[in-house]
Amino acid sequence: MPRNGQSAEPSAGSRAAEAAPAPRRGGTSPARSGAPTPRHQRTAPLHPGAWWLWALSLGTAATRTTNPLLLALLIAVSAYVVITRRPHAPWSRSYGAFVKLALAVLIIRLLFTTVLGSPIPGTHTLVTLPEVPLPDWAQGIRLGGRVTAEGLAFALYDAMMLATLLICVGAANALANPSRLLKSLPGALYEMGVAVVVALTFAPNLIADVQRLRAARRLRGRPDNGVRGLLQVGLPVLEGALERSVALAAAMDARGYGRTAQVPTAVRRTTAALTLGGLLGVCAGTYGLLTAAGGTYGVPVLVVGLVAALAGLWLGGRRTVRTRYRPDRWDARAWLVTGSGVAVAAALFLAAARDPAALHPGVVPLVAPSLPLWPAAAILVGLLPAFITPAPETAAKEPS
């Protein structure tokens, strides 16, 4: 009942309060209709083995040519895929180190050719260095002398092939997660994978212990440099390493590490024969592929060796009793990525057999290398992973 002539109509504030929706149970109000909702669905990452097979296929293609234009195209393809699909992780920064190593290979190869000479005869003399006379027992070796354009071109072509192979391996290191790759190892290599994981985690823990102890000594006003500081820091670091070793051994024992299943003797012998014979076949086939004389038997021996080695690993995995937590799936994208790299390698093998002059430009006489069209177009197939694989997740920024 209103008093003193006050109106019974509610005020504007009370009407707004009544019009507002009631808060949900728990004290949270409903989200606005126009507010964006976060996406919790993430695309599964590509299998790390697919990245390695793709990169090794590009490296195999690089071994079939010394054409600097094709090698530069292979480098550009691998670099583009790394730039667009490299995840934001510390281990993915290794690509720059491999590029620097490749540049060092080029410089060292050209420097050796300049100082020690080249077996390639040439008529275009660039510079003549003072030659150092050597004794009779050093026949075939010279220091200084003429530096020809033909010799430098041959050294550059040869070094670019090795540099391209190193950059392709660097691309695999930058794209494939090493921990997930070790988790995907077959059961027969389980112990080796655990040993590699322990070795990879030992150095960072050791560095962290040294930094922590040196900071603690500086806070206490004690010296942390020199031989005395190193000796006083070394004992706590050793003690921490022993404690981690005991804890790791207890954790591995609790998880059943080293437990094996009983298999017949015939299976063990067959496994050993297949694995050893397969590895020997892989070595012989790889040697045949890298040499001109073994081009006919290289591919069959390599395929037979791979099949035998895989069969041996599969049989050896039956002795390991273990399970995998969330194993990586080899899906259609992994097949496409691997197939793109294999297609590039197969195209370069075919081009080397049909037109070897285009893939191996001559230096005597010195001519400018030409770009063969269809091998170059086949190399561009290696760009397929940049379009079918998920983009790396951007690192979350801290609020200012």
Side-chain angles (χ1 to χ4, degrees):
M1 180 67 65
R3 295 182 300 175
N4 300 330
Q6 294 180 356
S7 174
E9 294 182 359
S11 61
S14 60
R15 288 197 302 267
E18 292 175 0
R24 295 182 179 179
R25 181 174 299 177
T28 59
S29 59
R32 298 179 181 177
S33 58
T37 57
R39 297 181 179 179
H40 299 282
Q41 296 180 356
R42 296 181 179 179
T43 307
L46 189 70
H47 196 285
W51 285 125
W52 270 99
L53 291 176
W54 170 82
L56 292 179
S57 298
L58 293 186
T60 304
T63 61
R64 307 313 301 172
T65 179
T66 56
N67 191 321
L69 300 180
L70 293 178
L71 293 174
L73 188 59
L74 283 170
I75 294 174
V77 167
S78 64
Y80 181 79
V81 175
V82 169
I83 291 173
T84 56
R85 291 298 180 262
R86 179 172 56 180
H88 302 281
W91 49 264
S92 64
R93 303 171 186 171
S94 61
Y95 185 73
F98 279 91
V99 173
K100 294 177 182 178
L101 180 61
L103 292 176
V105 167
L106 287 175
I107 295 174
I108 293 174
R109 184 70 171 86
L110 293 176
L111 183 62
F112 269 73
T113 302
T114 302
V115 176
L116 301 179
S118 174
I120 303 299
T123 57
H124 298 79
T125 303
L126 299 178
V127 65
T128 302
L129 300 177
E131 188 171 355
V132 179
L134 297 176
D136 296 336
W137 54 265
Q139 293 292 334
I141 303 175
R142 68 177 179 86
L143 292 176
R146 292 190 315 119
V147 180
T148 62
E150 290 83 357
L152 287 180
F154 178 79
L156 178 63
Y157 295 170
D158 193 37
M160 278 195 67
M161 181 175 64
L162 179 57
T164 306
L165 182 59
L166 289 174
I167 291 176
C168 291
V169 174
N173 280 274
L175 293 170
N177 191 332
S179 60
R180 289 176 49 226
L181 182 63
L182 290 172
K183 187 178 69 173
S184 303
L185 285 176
L189 303 177
Y190 170 57
E191 289 84 359
M192 185 185 72
V194 174
V196 172
V197 170
V198 173
L200 289 177
T201 56
F202 174 75
N205 290 330
L206 183 65
I207 295 174
D209 285 348
V210 172
Q211 293 177 349
R212 177 176 55 82
L213 291 172
R214 291 185 62 185
R217 291 184 63 83
R218 284 195 298 267
L219 290 175
R220 293 180 175 90
R222 299 178 181 177
D224 61 325
N225 296 323
V227 179
R228 181 180 178 183
L230 180 63
L231 293 177
Q232 292 181 356
V233 169
L235 185 59
V237 170
L238 180 60
E239 182 181 358
L242 291 176
E243 290 179 356
R244 283 197 306 271
S245 300
V246 173
L248 178 63
M252 293 170 65
D253 183 68
R255 288 167 173 82
Y257 177 77
R259 190 177 302 169
T260 57
Q262 295 293 333
V263 294
T265 306
V267 174
R268 292 201 303 268
R269 293 177 180 176
T270 305
T271 301
L274 286 176
T275 305
L276 182 60
L279 293 178
L280 291 176
V282 169
C283 294
T286 305
Y287 176 78
L289 292 178
L290 297 178
T291 57
T296 56
Y297 68 86
V299 175
V301 173
L302 180 61
V303 171
V304 173
L306 284 176
V307 172
L310 292 176
L313 292 177
W314 178 76
L315 287 177
R318 297 175 58 184
R319 299 180 64 248
T320 302
V321 183
R322 70 187 185 100
T323 58
R324 293 179 181 175
Y325 178 69
R326 292 183 180 178
D328 294 317
R329 293 184 178 181
W330 191 276
D331 52 6
R333 295 175 305 166
W335 284 112
L336 289 175
V337 170
T338 305
S340 64
V342 172
V344 174
L348 267 294
F349 270 92
L350 183 60
R354 290 190 174 184
D355 192 6
L359 269 68
H360 299 276
V363 295
V364 181
L366 186 62
V367 294
S370 59
L371 181 64
L373 295 181
W374 73 268
I379 292 176
L380 295 179
V381 178
L383 292 172
L384 185 63
F387 303 100
I388 64 174
T389 56
E393 297 179 1
T394 57
K397 297 183 179 180
E398 296 182 358
S400 57

